[in-house]
Amino acid sequence: MKTLKKTVTVLSVLAIAGGVLAGCGAKETAGGAEGEKKAEGKKYTFRLADTHPADYPTVIGDKKFAELVSERTNGRIKIDVFPGAQLGEEKAVLEQVQLGAIEFTRVSSGPLGEFSKGFGVFSLPYVFDSDQHLWKFLESDAGNKMLDSLEGAKMKGLAYYSSGARSFYSRKPLTSLADLKGQKIRVIQNKINIDLVAALGASATPMPYGEVFSSLQTGVIDAAENNFPSYQSSNHFEVAKNMILDGHQRVPEVLLISQNAWNKLGEEDRKLLKQAALDSVKTQREAWDKYEKEAEAKVRAAGATITEVKDLKPWQDAVKPVIDKYRAEYKEALDAIDAARK
């Protein structure tokens, strides 16, 4: 009898314990679903860093992105834009984005080759025939895949922004390929750029962008290369009055988010941010086209000599060894770029 009572008691305790455990399990499951809902409804204030001045087309794109996010979340997600390198220069900001200390940034795709090899393809000369050709590639599966490849570096690419085409400008006359021979040209610290300049018969001099004006002024370098807006906004046209529109590179800008910040967001918020980034591109590209035309008009009015290249073939032939040198390394991207011509 005692044994029977003891057995009943044990079974009762086990049943109660089982019920408690089951209840705990149900609570955890509900808590998980509830946690996802909370993540979707949570308020955030993020920072977006940009090195360019407040009226620059990339910053106009940044602000449109922030505006769309605020509108579509009724102010629940706020993104404060910090232009003019207020949060640091690109390299320092990228490190902070990787750590999650800064949530968003807009950077040139040039430095991103250090984090995802495929981005190096934008440094190759004359691989894009036009702006239309570039954007056909950027909006393809290959272009989107490149954005996603940054996840391995604790960042996520959201969208591309326009930055036009890069051309050479010099203190010396610059009206043909032959005029580049022997000139000391400032380049971004990048092995492809160094090879490019060497292939054109000039001498590459890597240096920080902030040193270019004084180096042109004092003759430390003869020339540099960039797009029209940068040529104008940096006042380089004052000390290097000769520009030749060879359009050797088209290096897009990238709007990206820290993987750390991305991981905090719910699925719906992620979709919303991605779409807002894509929707901001139209505003940025329109601002770029307007700014580029205005910059060209200003430097022409200031007395700069602007030469258009009517036949690019000699330039393309000169850099063919550079393309051949890196073809195997960027084969997948180059194939996709070729496919975008069709």
Side-chain angles (χ1 to χ4, degrees):
M1 192 71 177
K2 280 183 181 178
T3 304
L4 180 60
K5 277 185 180 178
K6 197 180 282 185
T7 302
V8 170
T9 305
V10 169
L11 288 172
S12 299
V13 169
L14 288 172
I16 292 167
V20 170
L21 287 171
C24 286
K27 269 188 180 175
E28 281 179 14
T29 304
E34 194 177 320
E36 179 64 23
K37 282 181 184 176
K38 282 181 180 175
E40 293 295 354
K42 195 171 177 182
K43 289 186 177 180
Y44 299 97
T45 299
F46 294 136
R47 297 187 298 169
L48 194 167
D50 199 307
T51 57
H52 288 141
D55 62 344
Y56 202 81
T58 56
V59 180
I60 290 171
D62 299 337
K63 290 176 178 176
K64 183 64 178 178
F65 167 61
E67 177 190 314
L68 291 172
V69 170
S70 180
E71 282 177 2
R72 293 171 187 182
T73 62
N74 295 315
R76 182 172 57 81
I77 300 179
K78 184 184 178 189
I79 299 172
D80 294 323
V81 178
F82 292 85
Q86 291 178 59
L87 302 183
E89 293 296 337
E90 278 191 356
K91 190 174 186 299
V93 166
L94 278 170
E95 289 170 359
Q96 292 299 302
V97 168
Q98 284 186 294
L99 293 170
I102 296 173
E103 293 84 14
F104 294 87
T105 188
R106 184 288 318 158
V107 295
S108 166
S109 58
L112 295 178
E114 294 178 28
F115 305 100
S116 177
K117 193 173 113 178
F119 279 91
V121 77
F122 295 117
S123 294
L124 291 175
Y126 310 112
V127 292
F128 294 104
D129 303 333
S130 63
D131 202 47
Q132 184 182 12
H133 179 204
L134 168 70
W135 278 95
K136 192 173 176 186
F137 167 76
L138 295 179
E139 292 170 347
S140 70
D141 289 343
N144 289 322
K145 186 178 175 184
M146 203 173 282
L147 288 178
D148 292 340
S149 71
L150 290 167
E151 291 178 10
K154 300 180 181 178
M155 299 179 281
K156 183 170 181 64
L158 295 175
Y160 293 103
Y161 281 168
S162 185
S163 69
R166 297 175 77 95
S167 294
F168 293 103
Y169 49 88
S170 175
R171 299 165 70 241
K172 300 179 178 181
L174 200 54
T175 57
S176 69
L177 174 56
D179 290 333
L180 282 177
K181 303 289 183 190
Q183 292 205 35
K184 292 174 290 182
I185 302 177
R186 179 266 175 178
V187 294
I188 298 167
Q189 179 62 57
N190 173 308
K191 59 183 182 177
I192 297 177
N193 281 324
I194 293 169
D195 289 343
L196 159 63
V197 167
L200 296 175
S203 174
T205 306
M207 71 170 56
Y209 187 62
E211 297 175 16
V212 177
F213 183 91
S214 61
S215 296
L216 284 166
Q217 193 174 40
T218 57
V220 171
I221 56 173
D222 301 307
E225 53 82 48
N226 218 310
N227 53 47
F228 252 129
S230 294
Y231 179 52
Q232 183 267 322
S233 63
S234 63
N235 295 320
H236 290 178
F237 69 93
E238 294 178 1
V239 286
K241 292 182 176 292
N242 305 283
M243 188 179 204
I244 188 162
L245 303 180
D246 69 297
H248 51 271
Q249 291 169 333
R250 294 178 187 272
V251 183
E253 311 281 353
V254 178
L255 180 65
L256 52 84
I257 181 174
S258 162
Q259 190 69 49
N260 182 280
W262 184 257
N263 290 343
K264 289 177 183 176
L265 300 167
E267 188 60 33
E268 289 307 309
D269 282 345
R270 290 177 184 176
K271 287 179 184 174
L272 186 147
L273 280 174
K274 175 69 175 176
Q275 192 58 51
L278 293 174
D279 290 345
S280 72
V281 172
K282 182 175 182 289
T283 297
Q284 193 276 334
R285 288 183 66 184
E286 287 173 352
W288 178 268
D289 290 344
K290 181 172 180 284
Y291 197 94
E292 191 172 45
K293 287 183 178 70
E294 289 172 353
E296 180 178 356
K298 285 176 184 176
V299 298
R300 285 184 184 275
T305 300
I306 312 297
T307 302
E308 294 188 23
V309 178
K310 292 180 180 176
D311 182 11
L312 265 181
K313 191 171 187 309
W315 299 73
Q316 293 166 329
D317 290 344
V319 301
K320 190 175 182 300
V322 179
I323 303 291
D324 291 341
K325 179 179 177 179
Y326 295 99
R327 186 172 293 281
E329 195 172 340
Y330 298 108
K331 185 181 184 306
E332 186 178 346
L334 286 171
D335 287 347
I337 289 169
D338 286 341
R341 283 191 175 91
K342 298 166 187 175

